[in-house]
Each structure stands twice: as structure tokens, then as C-alpha cells.
Amino acid sequence: MGYSVVAGAAGRLIFGYDSFGNVCGKKNSPVEGAPLSGQDMTLKKHVFFMNSCNLEVKGVRLDRTALCVSSCPEEQLDSLEEVQLFANTSGSFLCVYSLNSFNYTHSPKADSLCPRLPVPPSKSFPLFNRCIPQTPECYSLFASVLINDVDTLHRILSGIMSGRDTVLGLCVLALALSLAVMFTFRFITTLLVHIFISLIILGLSFVCGVLWWLYYDYTNDLSIELDTERENMKCVLGFAIVSTVITAVLLVLIFVLRKRIKLTVELFQITNKAISSAPFLLFQPLWTFTILIFFWVLWVAVLLSLGTAGTAQVMEGGQVEYKPLSGIRYMWWYHLIGLFWTSEFILACQQMTIAGAVVTCYFNRSQNDPPDRPILSSLSILFFYHQGTVVKGSFLIPVVQIPRIIVMYMHNALKEQQHGALLRYLFRCCCGCFWCLDKYLLHLNQNAYTATAINGTDFCTSAKDAVKILSKNSSHLKSINCFGDFIIFLGKVLVVCFTVFGGLMAFNYNRAFQVWAVPLLLVAFFAYLVAHSFLSVFETVLHALFLCFTVDLETNDGSSEKPYFMDQEFLSFVKRSNKLNNVRAPQGKDSLRNEEGTELQAVVQ
């Protein structure tokens, strides 16, 4: 990160730069050997190409001269006199800096130092702050040469930066939706569940319809000269197919589980009762969200620096080209791993904190004397004793996700080949296996963190103990836990669905010059993380409650000598939901021991 910030120049990407090494819109330092570099361009914020209708590609770079100007010419200029008049009236000089505006019509070098006539009308566009020609013939040539010349990474970064206000607004929308869904779960009723499910069905159907409509619009109005248009069309098709499959699966699941709505309401009422013993758990996601936003901003800033890392080289005529640093620019894969791991680490810290607070409140004999500051106590234990546990657990997620992404990329690459059907099938199977493993590890991590909060053991020991005790009591918990997780997952889908819909409407307005599919994918990813950080409060409390319940069953028998920690409402709910007359299977021992002989037992406060 430090090296990319030092070697990179994100300002060149954000503000644009001229052919002499000056970044538009800021004061510049001189480049040795370039006499026209180092100028103050504070008032000149736009990039103007002198020959925008006659761009050519020589080698791997554009043969063009770009200048920083204060405004773009909005009307066609047919002569040098009109160019001179435009400079005098607007203060925007369209000839090379070394030529004074007084000499535009007198200097014999004016033909080579001024733009080729006629100068087409142009308009500023947020892609590198360039002046885009507005005449149809110049627009088509300019776009096909200039945009296709920019490599994929720069197009992605420019799409992010040109839509940065939209991305920020969509993140705020995701935050607002997450808060609304969280408080819906807090005061849930049967009517709210019906409204909630109706909104999900409406949102999924609407997003699918919009995606297919956009794909149809692209196929009927596609400029084949633009790589950005082709890339956006492919991504829209991919989004439409994935969203349709997800919608179909969720609709089937909702239909199958529709009769368990009453049970869902009762389940969340018990969860809310546990949260009431530590009500500040609902505010726990706020600091998680703040830290995630800070990290994401830092991550994007480093990504911009990686994409612009390069050294200045003086070319013929005093022009400056930036040679990319090939090694540092490929480090964005490593940077991507950092995004997954660090994001999962931050969320895992929240899960560990909530699990610790729930465990402290659950294993408390005196219901009239609740423990003091359970959240602060859980945080202190986390930072002093269990950072390694959280690091190890969060690392398992990207270890599975990154190979899955690579396999998906290879599968998509083979789609364009006529042969290799067997390999495509194998890659599809591998993707499914990685997906199942990813979901299993997420579930394992949550239970491992709760077991760590109960016993203070390391990650591997806690995970093994949690799997062992849950497998012995799976008949009591399987249907309840799965259905509770499904409802919480629907809440996350609702947040992502409406956020993506807002992004589709916003990004589609400037789709020609932006690879907006990638910013939209990032917005969907961030929206899911935000929704997950808020709604995981209920998810973590739910998992922690049931693991504490199983530990309670293992260590106590409900007698006067060994009474249960759970209240009768919780016990009767489990009995009623599973239609059991006896929720406790016969056990040979009063406690569960693992192979090393450590005892998984509740710690009484």
C-alpha cells in the first residue's frame, strides 16, 4: 500500500492530464527535460485533444496532443481567428502553451501548435474530465480510438471514479435499507412478515425484468465500436441470468416454507428477548459499518494508486508519457485478497463480540441481576485473548472464495471455445463444491466463535467441539435454525435487490463511456456486506442461543441440583417446533469431552 501510494498518481486518473506531464485542476511539479511541465493548472480542469477527429494509434499509445483548458468549446471553430476569439473571451487556450494567444493568427508555427480546423463542438464528460466532441463523425472515431485504447483496469477505475457520487449514494441507500430491515426484525409480527415477503417477491421480479429489458435495449442499440458497450452488455446478460435463477429458487423456497410464518414470528420474539438483555447489541453494527467504510475507502484509494503507478518519460517534442510499472500493477490480485480477508475479519470481530455478550447473558443464574456491561466485557476478551481465533476463522473464507473465483473465470473462458465440454462440466462442479464449502465454513465459524466465548479455547478446538455437540442434537435444531437463517438471508436479499435496482437506474444514464457493470457489482457486494453486518446481529444471536441451548442440555438435566439456564419459554418453543415429548436424548455423561479431554461446559458468572 505504501509503495503504491508513493509510486502511483491517482490524481492523473481522477482529474486527467495533458501531454506535457501536467495534471489538470492542480498545481504541478516540473518534470526534468520537459519545459512545458510544472505549470499551475488550478483553473484549467478539462482535458482537450487538439486533433480529436484525427486520433491515431502508434505502437501502444495514442498519437495525440492533449492540453488542460478552463472550458471546452461548445460551438464549432472554423478559423484561427475564432480560436483566438474563444481564448480571449473564455480564457481557454486551445493551442500549445508556448504559443501566446496574440500570435495565434501571426505565428508561422500556428498550424502545428494549434488544433486542426475546424475544431468540433465538445462537451465535458466525467471520464478523465475529457472534452468529448459532439459531432457524430468525430464522436464515433474519438470514442472507438480513445476508449478502446485505455486498458481494462483503467476503464474499470474510470467507471468507479466517474460514478463515485452514485456509488456513495447507493452505499447510503444500502445503510438505510439495512436499518429498516433490522428494526422490522426487532418488532416483527405476522403482518410484517407477510409484507416483508411480498416486498422481496416484488423486488426480485422487478430487478429481473429491468435486467432483461436492459439486455434487450443493448442488443437493439449497440455501438459495436465501443468496448465499454460490449462489456456492459455481457455483464448485463450475466446479471440477468444469475438474478433469474436466484429469483426462481427463492420463490420456490418461499412457497414451500410459507406455512411456517407463525413459527418464524415466535422464533424472532425469543431472539429479541435475548437481545433485550443487552439492547446495545443493535448498535454494534454501527461501528462495524464505520470501520468497513473507512477500510473500503482506503482500499479504493490504494487500487487507484496501483492503477496509475508509473514513471515519467520525456518523449520527442518535450511531451511526457508515463510508463506503467508492470510488477506493481499486477499486485491488485493480492490487493483483492486483502479486501476479502480484512472485510471478513471485521465482520468476524462483530460476530465474536455478539456471541460473547449472548453467552454471558445466557449463563447467568440470576435473571433479576443481569451481568454488567456484557458488550464491553466481550470486546475486551476479544482484543486481549482471541484475535488469533478471529484471524484464522476469517482467513478460511478467502482461501475458499479466491479459488472459486479463478475456477469461475476459467469456466467462462472455456465458453468461447467449441471444444472442452468436459472441462466446463468439471469446472462447474468445482464451483458448486467451493460454494457448498464456503457456506459450511461460514456456519462453522459462527459456532466456533460461540464455543470460544463459552470455553476460551482456540479456533480449531472450539470448531471441533461445536460440530460434535451440534451433531448430537441436530434433530432438535436443524429445522428451526435453517428456517431462521433463511428469513435473515431474505432480509439481505431485499437490501441488495433494491440497491442494485437503484444502481441500474443511475448507472444506465451514462453507460456509453463507463464500464458501469463493475461498479454495480462492487455496489452489490458492499450492499450485501452492509446488510450482513446489520442483520448478522440476529443471525449471530440465533446461532449463539442454540449452541448455548445444546451446551445447557449436555451439562444439566433440569433437576434441582443441575437446573437449566434456559427459561421455560425457550424450552417449550423447541419442544413445540420439533413435536418432541422429550427434547433431551439419553446421555451417558453430564458433559461433552473432546479427544484431548477438555470439557465443553458453561462458565457460570
Side-chain angles (χ1 to χ4, degrees):
M1 179 185 70
Y3 182 75
S4 66
V5 170
V6 172
R12 294 203 308 269
L13 181 66
I14 298 173
F15 303 108
Y17 60 98
D18 64 11
S19 299
F20 305 100
N22 300 297
V23 177
C24 300
K26 61 178 293 187
K27 190 174 183 179
N28 298 272
S29 300
V31 177
E32 185 177 355
L36 296 180
S37 64
Q39 299 193 36
D40 186 0
M41 299 293 181
T42 306
L43 300 179
K44 300 178 179 180
K45 300 180 179 181
H46 306 280
V47 182
F48 172 76
F49 292 93
M50 292 178 58
N51 300 317
S52 58
C53 291
N54 300 277
L55 294 178
E56 296 179 358
V57 178
K58 290 188 176 181
V60 294
R61 66 184 183 87
L62 289 174
D63 180 32
R64 82 279 191 258
T65 300
L67 303 174
C68 293
V69 297
S70 57
S71 62
C72 304
E74 297 182 356
E75 297 181 358
Q76 180 170 301
L77 306 178
D78 297 312
S79 64
L80 289 177
E81 286 77 8
E82 292 183 6
V83 173
Q84 185 181 47
L85 179 63
F86 176 74
N88 294 332
T89 54
S90 66
S92 187
F93 305 97
L94 305 184
C95 297
V96 176
Y97 309 132
S98 57
L99 183 64
N100 190 283
S101 61
F102 177 77
N103 297 320
Y104 282 4
T105 56
H106 300 87
S107 176
K109 298 181 179 180
D111 291 338
S112 60
L113 298 180
C114 291
R116 185 174 299 180
L117 300 173
V119 179
S122 58
K123 184 179 179 181
S124 178
F125 199 80
L127 181 62
F128 293 108
N129 292 326
R130 286 176 167 144
C131 294
I132 307 298
Q134 298 300 297
T135 55
E137 60 276 5
C138 291
Y139 172 85
S140 177
L141 179 64
F142 179 88
S144 60
V145 174
L146 183 61
I147 295 182
N148 293 350
D149 174 73
V150 184
D151 62 21
T152 303
L153 179 60
H154 275 84
R155 287 204 301 272
I156 292 173
L157 294 178
S158 65
I160 295 174
M161 293 312 302
S162 60
R164 56 188 180 272
D165 295 335
T166 304
V167 171
L168 181 60
L170 292 172
C171 287
V172 174
L173 175 63
L175 172 62
L177 290 173
S178 299
L179 287 171
V181 174
M182 185 179 69
F183 283 104
T184 300
F185 284 168
R186 182 69 178 88
F187 306 102
I188 198 164
T189 62
T190 304
L191 177 61
L192 282 178
V193 172
H194 283 289
I195 296 174
F196 178 70
I197 293 177
S198 300
L199 285 174
I200 292 174
I201 295 174
L202 177 64
L204 287 172
S205 304
F206 205 65
V207 168
C208 287
V210 170
L211 284 169
W212 284 113
W213 175 79
L214 285 177
Y215 177 70
Y216 175 79
D217 187 49
Y218 269 111
T219 55
N220 288 275
D221 184 23
L222 175 65
S223 175
I224 59 174
E225 297 177 340
L226 298 180
D227 283 349
T228 52
E229 288 276 340
R230 292 193 292 268
E231 291 173 5
N232 286 339
M233 186 186 70
K234 292 178 181 178
C235 291
V236 166
L237 178 60
F239 286 157
I241 294 174
V242 171
S243 64
T244 302
V245 172
I246 293 175
T247 301
V249 172
L250 289 180
L251 289 178
V252 171
L253 289 174
I254 290 172
F255 179 78
V256 171
L257 299 173
R258 69 190 187 281
K259 295 182 179 180
R260 308 198 68 179
I261 291 178
K262 185 177 179 181
L263 180 64
T264 304
V265 174
E266 192 172 352
L267 175 63
F268 277 96
Q269 287 174 349
I270 292 175
T271 305
N272 287 324
K273 185 177 180 180
I275 293 176
S276 298
S277 59
F280 284 101
L281 282 177
L282 292 176
F283 298 96
Q284 186 74 12
L286 292 178
W287 69 264
T288 304
F289 179 76
T290 302
I291 295 175
L292 280 174
I293 288 294
F294 175 78
F295 168 67
W296 292 339
V297 171
L298 179 64
W299 187 86
V300 171
V302 175
L303 181 65
L304 293 176
S305 297
L306 286 173
T308 56
T311 55
Q313 288 187 338
V314 180
M315 312 298 290
E316 182 181 358
Q319 296 191 5
V320 177
E321 288 287 339
Y322 290 94
K323 182 180 180 181
L325 299 177
S326 57
I328 191 68
R329 295 188 62 192
Y330 289 110
M331 286 183 65
W332 77 277
W333 282 104
Y334 174 77
H335 193 47
L336 183 64
I337 296 174
L339 172 66
F340 284 105
W341 190 0
T342 309
S343 297
E344 288 295 335
F345 172 78
I346 295 170
L347 293 173
C349 286
Q350 173 182 282
Q351 293 175 358
M352 188 75 178
T353 303
I354 295 173
V358 172
V359 167
T360 302
C361 295
Y362 185 95
F363 293 107
N364 177 43
R365 287 293 185 192
S366 178
Q367 299 296 328
N368 297 324
D369 185 21
D372 295 332
R373 297 180 294 276
I375 299 177
L376 292 178
S377 175
S378 180
L379 272 174
S380 63
I381 293 174
L382 166 64
F383 285 113
F384 283 106
Y385 299 106
H386 299 313
Q387 284 291 296
T389 299
V390 177
V391 167
K392 187 180 294 183
S394 60
F395 179 68
L396 292 177
I397 306 302
V399 163
V400 174
Q401 288 179 341
I402 299 300
R404 181 183 166 200
I405 293 174
I406 295 174
V407 170
M408 291 176 62
Y409 174 79
M410 297 175 68
H411 175 264
N412 292 331
L414 288 174
K415 283 184 178 179
E416 301 178 358
Q417 300 181 6
Q418 296 180 353
H419 306 287
L422 178 60
L423 284 177
R424 290 198 299 269
Y425 175 76
L426 292 176
F427 283 142
R428 192 178 295 115
C429 292
C430 290
C431 288
C433 293
F434 277 123
W435 183 85
C436 294
L437 182 59
D438 182 28
K439 298 305 176 184
Y440 174 76
L441 287 177
L442 288 172
H443 181 71
L444 176 68
N445 283 356
Q446 285 187 339
N447 292 322
Y449 297 149
T450 305
T452 298
I454 295 174
N455 286 337
T457 50
D458 61 89
F459 178 82
C460 294
T461 303
S462 300
K464 182 168 56 177
D465 289 343
V467 169
K468 189 173 181 180
I469 194 171
L470 287 174
S471 63
K472 295 177 65 176
N473 295 273
S474 60
S475 60
H476 309 322
L477 309 172
K478 185 177 181 181
S479 61
I480 309 173
N481 224 347
C482 291
F483 191 67
D485 289 344
F486 178 68
I487 292 297
I488 294 172
F489 175 72
L490 287 181
K492 300 174 186 177
V493 170
L494 179 67
V495 173
V496 175
C497 184
F498 281 95
T499 304
V500 168
F501 172 71
L504 285 172
M505 295 295 98
F507 284 123
N508 193 50
Y509 284 108
N510 294 325
R511 65 190 191 186
F513 286 93
Q514 299 180 34
V515 184
W516 57 261
V518 175
L520 183 62
L521 190 61
L522 284 176
V523 166
F525 172 69
F526 290 163
Y528 181 81
L529 281 182
V530 170
H532 179 70
S533 65
F534 279 89
L535 301 185
S536 62
V537 171
F538 296 92
E539 190 175 9
T540 306
V541 170
L542 186 62
H543 283 267
L545 277 177
F546 281 115
L547 186 58
C548 292
F549 170 77
T550 56
V551 172
D552 201 4
L553 289 179
E554 289 293 325
T555 55
N556 301 293
D557 56 11
S559 63
S560 57
E561 293 81 11
K562 301 177 69 176
Y564 290 131
F565 284 91
M566 74 187 81
D567 55 22
Q568 289 301 315
E569 182 182 357
F570 192 8
L571 184 60
S572 62
F573 168 75
V574 176
K575 286 182 179 180
R576 187 168 56 257
S577 61
N578 289 280
K579 299 180 181 179
L580 295 175
N581 295 321
N582 184 8
V583 297
R584 187 172 184 268
Q587 302 292 334
K589 295 184 180 181
D590 291 335
S591 62
L592 177 69
R593 297 178 181 274
N594 60 20
E595 296 176 358
E596 290 77 22
T598 60
E599 187 178 355
L600 184 62
Q601 183 172 324
V603 180
V604 181
Q605 298 294 332

